[in-house]
Amino acid sequence: MQKLASWVMRGTMMAMLGLGGPTLLGLAPTTAHAASSVAAVVNGMPVTTYQIRQRAAFLKLRRVGGNTTQKATDELIDEALKRQEIQRQGVNIPDEEVNAAYLNFAKGNNLSEAQLAEVLGSAGFSPQAFKDYIRVQMGWGQAASRRIQREERLTEQDAVQRMLAQGGEKPSTTEYTLQQVIFVIPNGQRGAMLANRKREAQAMRQRFQSCDSTLAFAQGLRDVTVRDLGRVAQPELPSLWKEDVMQTSPGRATPTKETDRGVEFIGVCNARQISDDRAAQMVFQARDMESLNGDGSGADAALLKKLRDEAQIVRR
């Protein structure tokens, strides 16, 4: 899902917008509040001519040729479908994340926020419209992932069929036995307690040698929760901890992280290779999720087509 959000990173977006040359600054400005009317309705959500004009300007920045008005309309219709799915899946991208992505984009192109706003405004595309675009790209990745995981999960029988189609070789994966340690910070006390809790968590993490002694050690500390997470296969590891767990040897603990609950780390009790129908199911499912690449060819594209086919779209 991070692949979809990477649209707002420096390299891809620099190429997409063509920043770095003088041509953008020379584009003629458009009237920001020109007359607007409804050009399309997507499941009751309007797409206005003003939005289309702004998106057409954005397409020109992205150096998209052809009928930009038509392409802008089509893109905004798809975007309306994405927004609706984001809402259905309960995905919320905080303003802080959007603003951070916007600022990172500006910094990546050696621009201040004011300079980026000037570049966008000169081309007829507002900073707020750009932020809205960023929010949808980030939210769509999460929403598509949630729906596909829920609706298109492979059965073990499906996995067997795919193994047979690929020569009968059964995929294997790593299964971890994990333990979660949380140094709790009560609500409203983060500012006063965070630094001390981080030191305590780091000290315990460095002394971690096995999951057998964690609970006894934690009993001598205040507000420390230890949870045995049991066996978790690599494809099922939560994204927040996945890379850290994979890079941690059994009998060691991951680096600490600040979370809403406080300061945490994961102890890796054990790791082993498994290769059975259930493992194959999870491996294939993980590969399917990696196809959410945002380039119009992955599982998210199939979901968008399904949403489009089921939608009530009225063009005016």
Side-chain angles (χ1 to χ4, degrees):
M1 306 333 89
Q2 294 297 324
K3 293 181 180 179
L4 286 176
S6 67
W7 270 50
V8 298
M9 297 298 104
R10 177 182 180 185
T12 302
M13 292 295 285
M14 281 184 70
M16 189 178 76
L17 296 185
L19 289 174
T23 55
L24 290 183
L25 294 175
L27 289 175
T30 60
T31 302
H33 299 289
S36 182
S37 60
V38 176
V41 180
V42 184
N43 293 329
M45 178 182 290
V47 175
T48 68
T49 54
Y50 175 65
Q51 290 175 302
I52 292 170
R53 286 194 296 271
Q54 284 223 327
R55 184 54 57 91
F58 190 37
L59 289 174
K60 290 177 182 178
L61 281 174
R62 289 153 58 186
R63 299 182 179 178
V64 175
N67 187 335
T68 54
T69 298
Q70 180 63 47
K71 291 181 179 180
T73 304
D74 293 341
E75 189 169 281
L76 286 166
I77 287 174
D78 285 348
E79 198 165 287
L81 294 170
K82 291 179 180 181
R83 289 176 185 273
Q84 292 162 9
E85 186 64 24
I86 289 169
Q87 185 175 13
R88 277 193 294 268
Q89 298 302 326
V91 173
N92 177 49
I93 306 298
D95 291 342
E96 292 79 7
E97 290 187 23
V98 175
N99 292 334
Y102 181 87
L103 179 59
N104 287 339
F105 175 71
K107 289 180 177 178
N109 290 284
N110 298 317
L111 297 170
S112 66
E113 287 190 70
Q115 288 171 327
L116 177 56
E118 182 181 354
V119 170
L120 294 171
S122 296
F125 192 59
S126 71
Q128 185 57 53
F130 188 25
K131 290 182 180 181
D132 290 342
Y133 179 82
I134 291 172
R135 190 188 303 275
V136 171
Q137 300 309 313
M138 299 175 80
W140 171 243
Q142 295 184 31
S145 174
R146 289 183 185 182
R147 177 153 174 173
I148 291 168
Q149 283 182 316
R150 187 180 69 249
E151 295 185 356
E152 300 183 11
R153 183 174 296 276
L154 284 173
T155 65
E156 292 184 18
Q157 184 177 5
D158 292 332
V160 171
Q161 293 300 318
R162 287 175 66 165
M163 283 187 291
L164 293 175
Q166 296 181 17
E169 184 177 351
K170 187 175 296 186
S172 64
T173 189
T174 303
E175 181 185 74
Y176 299 91
T177 303
L178 303 176
Q179 193 175 67
Q180 181 184 35
V181 180
I182 307 171
F183 284 70
V184 178
I185 299 178
N187 292 335
Q189 298 184 38
R190 179 169 293 268
M193 296 183 62
L194 180 59
N196 189 54
R197 295 262 82 179
K198 288 173 68 174
R199 285 192 296 269
E200 291 177 329
Q202 181 63 16
M204 183 173 176
R205 178 240 175 195
Q206 290 176 340
R207 296 177 62 181
F208 184 92
Q209 294 182 339
S210 75
C211 296
D212 296 334
S213 58
T214 309
L215 187 58
F217 187 83
Q219 287 177 344
L221 300 171
R222 182 178 179 182
D223 293 332
V224 177
T225 300
V226 178
R227 296 175 178 172
D228 288 320
L229 303 180
R231 296 176 179 178
V232 183
Q234 181 176 309
E236 296 182 326
L237 289 171
S239 58
L240 179 64
W241 295 101
K242 186 171 185 178
E243 293 299 324
D244 289 333
V245 169
M246 291 171 58
Q247 295 174 14
T248 301
S249 302
R252 305 298 296 173
T254 68
T256 61
K257 291 184 185 291
E258 297 177 30
T259 69
D260 292 341
R261 292 177 292 265
V263 182
E264 306 181 25
F265 64 80
I266 301 292
V268 179
C269 313
N270 188 31
R272 64 171 186 147
Q273 290 295 115
I274 58 173
S275 180
D276 54 24
D277 292 346
R278 172 60 179 151
Q281 176 190 7
M282 289 185 292
V283 169
F284 283 129
Q285 181 69 26
R287 291 175 184 172
D288 288 345
M289 296 311 298
E290 288 176 358
S291 69
L292 286 171
N293 49 29
D295 64 1
S297 63
D300 60 318
L303 174 58
L304 182 58
K305 182 181 184 303
K306 180 179 179 181
L307 295 176
R308 195 184 299 119
D309 291 342
E310 295 174 350
Q312 292 184 345
I313 302 172
V314 179
R315 297 175 185 257
R316 297 179 177 177

